Structures are given as structure tokens and as C-alpha cells.
Amino acid sequence: MHLKYYLSALALPAICCNAAAVTVGTPHCERIDFTYDITSSIANVPPPPDLSTNAAITSYLPVLLQTLKTAPNVTRQGRYKLAGLFCGAPKKAKGGSPLQVLAHGSSYTKEYWNRAAWGNMTIKNSWQQFAYERGVSTLAIDRLCYGASSHPDPLLDCQLTTSIKTFHALFAALKKGTASPKIPVPTEIAFVGHSAGSITVSNFVQAYPNDVDTAILTGWPSAFIAATGVAEYYKSHHITPPASPPSYPDYAPGAIAYPERFEGLAQGYIASRNASQRSIGYAGKYDPSYPLLDARTQSTFPLGEATYTGLLSFPAFKGKVIVATGDLDRFARADLDVIPRTRARFPSASRFEWVNATESGHLVNYHYSARQTYQKVFALLGIVRSIEPHPRSADTS
């Protein structure tokens, strides 16, 4: 989910890559790292104050959002590692396979896409397993400043512009076949996001419209776009908007909140100490154990993600756009005219489709309807199951 609303409610070739086998619930998966030298334009904001005191982060965030409105842009250079989990499609006699690159949301990691990695030994919610059964390769990425990827300055290096540049370097290498000897050149590429990952995807395809064939946005429109659309709806229908939800002063540097997991991280990497707030992404029908496991496995999120409001329109992209949003998602608001307003954000798209994830909140992957949602998305891509499902996926689609 996007930082602002999460808090209010709760270009160069690769210069190295390393691979190591890991055990996950999806066949043929392995960890692959990519390293890039990146130059990007960022908002030059001053360092934050001491964030270790009680409620310091809650007090600072409104100041940061206001500062970003007038901060000058400067050029910043860095060398960054992206950690990925590549799950190759079943071998084919001829030709390659489609590839989906997966970008998670705020306070999650690449494991969002493969539920078994969380340790509860079920793959029924795994997007990567679902794709594998349909002959599609996937590359789940820890976005910059998350998981096993680099954790540079959380305010200056973790901004949206740098993330987009880093993904551009990755896609350029993937299309050339130089990203890793483990990853063949794909027949086509889809960029799939969730929440803040979808903000990344939508802004990416505007900046680099020829890098991918399809944009798949889950937990989207972003809260910023949805809020804008809802505000327009209220105004045009002469409705007084409801009061904004309260913010909760329970945020702390991850190294303080959970030192056993995040020791050594800079103060600008934030975590929530209120486990109950993880339930905000759930609604409708879901396994009640998921929010509890969600809280225990949360990631930090960087202050630089305050820049993830991004653009409101994406006219440069001429590929396919698929939006999959929970019908009970309190962030994306799939009501109040948001669907047609969202479609208008991609005026040049060759195709725009909306998938309604039934009985689902923001975390569409973690509800009982997840595999039905995946089925709808893949059907729109013209992809059907090509191999028998894993016995633990319980897929009847």
C-alpha cells in the first residue's frame, strides 16, 4: 500500500549477478541478484531529525510531505543490488516463455508473491506457482531498499525516480539476455505490481513505454489516484466527504521496533509496532491466520517512499493494462466512478481491463478468492494452464 495512506490508516547494463538455489513451494525457483550503476534525479530534502523518540515519525511525516512539494531536484549516483526470485517456466521444445516481473507493495518483500516462503507450507495463494502451471516464468524482485536488496540512504536513495531507473536497467538486460545466464530472453514481458509496486509499474511504463508489453496493476489505482478520483466524485455529486481516518503514533525505526530482524538499518527504515494494523489490508473472506503471520513477517519501509505519489496520467504507454482490485479495498476504492476514471489515465493503451477481486481487500493475493482473481487476469492474457497443478495448490480453475 502507498506510504501516505498506509500511515494514515495504519540505466546501465548489469555489472554482476549471483545465483544461489533456494527451497520454496514453487518448482524451478532460484535466487538471483542483479547489480546496477544508476544515475537519477531526486528531491533533495534535508536529513530527518532524530526519529528514535516516541511519536517522532508520526510528527515528522507531514513535515516531509510538505517539504517534498518544494524540494529542488539534484542528480544522485549509486550502485544498487536488486534481489530476485526467478521461477522458470517448464522447458519447451522450441522457443521461450513469457516473463512476468513482480513488484511488491510497501512493508512487504518479494515473498509477497509466493506464500509458501512465509513458512506456513501452503502455496494456494502463490502467484508464482499459478504462473508456472501456465507456462509463464516469473521474477519476483525485492524493490530497492527492501528485503535482500540494497538498503542505501532511506530518504535520498529510495525515491520513486531511482527505483524506476533501476528497473529500467533490469528490463534492458532481460531483453538482451544479459541479466543472468539463468534467465532466457522472454517472448514477452509483463510488469506486475501490488500497491506501491503498482505505483512503480504505472510510472515506469510512462517513463519507459517500450520496455514491457503489459502492465498488471493489483491493489490499484494507487490511493493517491483513487483519492483524487473520489474527491472529484464528491465534488461533482455535491457530497460532503467523510472525515479522514486517524493516524496512529506507533511507528518506529525498524532497528528499534524489531532489533532482532532489522539491527543496523538507518532510522529512516520504518516499521509498525501495532500488529493489529496489518489487518487493514484484509476484508471479506480470508484465512484469519494470515494477518497474524503478516505482522510477524512485515518488512520495513523507507522514508523515501513518501515520493510515491507519482503521476496521475500515463499517456505514453501503448501496451495492455490490466487492473485487479479487491471489491472491498479501502485504499483503491473500486466504486464512486473510479473505474472509468482509472481507464482514462491510460488513454493510449491498446487494451484496458478491470478485474474485480471478489470478497477481497487490498491484499488480493491473500484472500480466498486469490486464485480466481489470478485466473481472470491470466485469461485476459490468453494464458491457460499448461501443466497439472501442484497437489498443494488446490486449484480447480
Side-chain angles (χ1 to χ4, degrees), residues 205-225:
V205 297
Q206 174 64 20
Y208 300 102
N210 298 317
D211 275 15
V212 302
D213 303 287
T214 302
I216 302 176
L217 311 171
T218 71
W220 202 88
S222 70
F224 183 63
I225 289 178

Side-chain angles (χ1 to χ4, degrees), residues 168-229:
H168 175 57
L170 173 63
F171 281 110
L174 289 170
K175 295 177 76 170
K176 293 177 181 177
T178 59
S180 166
K182 301 285 186 178
I183 305 178
V185 176
T187 56
E188 59 180 288
I189 299 178
F191 198 3
V192 187
H194 175 257
S195 196
S198 290
I199 296 176
T200 305
V201 173
S202 57
N203 282 267
F204 178 88
V205 297
Q206 174 64 20
Y208 300 102
N210 298 317
D211 275 15
V212 302
D213 303 287
T214 302
I216 302 176
L217 311 171
T218 71
W220 202 88
S222 70
F224 183 63
I225 289 178
T228 301

Side-chain angles (χ1 to χ4, degrees), residues 305-385:
E305 209 146 278
T307 63
Y308 273 52
T309 50
L311 303 173
L312 288 173
S313 184
F314 316 96
F317 187 58
K318 298 180 180 180
K320 298 185 291 291
V321 178
I322 300 173
V323 177
T325 293
D327 56 0
L328 302 175
D329 187 339
R330 64 182 296 178
F331 291 96
R333 298 299 300 273
D335 58 356
L336 306 185
D337 292 351
V338 167
I339 295 175
R341 293 178 187 276
T342 302
R343 181 179 290 108
R345 309 293 182 183
F346 291 92
S348 305
S350 61
R351 182 179 179 184
F352 180 97
E353 300 287 351
W354 184 283
V355 171
N356 201 39
T358 57
E359 294 290 331
S360 175
H362 189 61
L363 301 167
V364 295
N365 293 34
Y366 295 161
H367 289 71
Y368 287 142
S369 62
R371 290 184 71 84
Q372 287 71 36
T373 301
Y374 304 164
Q375 173 69 18
K376 295 174 185 176
V377 170
F378 279 68
L380 290 171
L381 294 171
I383 298 172
V384 297
R385 189 165 66 206

